[in-house]
């Protein structure tokens, strides 16, 4: 996921490993199969495209990110 974000934003992304907070789940799994099986839901946008669209939106509303183009 980090490599996709770095590629889309065309800049390094810092990773900071922090201790788990009391309300954090034991793991984060980016897998939609359970939602597909139980809810009959499938993602309509590939992850890379969704990140790119989100980045474009962020740039459109944020003067600081527009200056990093």
């Amino acid at each position: 996921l980090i490599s996709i974000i770095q590629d889309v934003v065309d800049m390094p992304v810092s990773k900071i490993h922090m201790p788990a907070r009391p309300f954090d789940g034991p793991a984060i799994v980016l897998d939609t199969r359970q939602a597909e099986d139980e809810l009959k839901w499938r993602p309509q946008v590939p992850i890379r495209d969704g990140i790119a669209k989100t980045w474009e939106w962020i740039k459109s509303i944020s003067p600081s990110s527009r200056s990093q183009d």
Side-chain angles (χ1 to χ4, degrees):
L1 187 59
I2 294 291
S3 62
I4 295 171
I5 294 169
Q6 286 184 141
D7 190 43
V8 167
V9 303
D10 195 30
M11 66 180 77
V13 175
S14 299
K15 294 183 279 186
I16 301 172
H17 297 277
M18 307 278 298
R21 300 166 293 187
F23 54 85
D24 287 336
I28 297 173
V29 180
L30 300 175
D31 185 347
T32 61
R33 286 180 288 186
Q34 186 174 5
E36 290 176 24
D37 293 344
E38 295 182 18
L39 304 173
K40 306 304 180 220
W41 176 86
R42 294 184 62 129
Q44 300 298 305
V45 178
I47 188 74
R48 181 181 195 72
D49 294 349
I51 291 170
K53 287 179 184 184
T54 301
W55 180 241
E56 289 305 315
W57 175 76
I58 290 168
K59 291 192 304 184
S60 78
I61 65 165
S62 172
S64 62
S65 54
R66 274 183 272 173
S67 68
Q68 295 177 7
D69 262 346

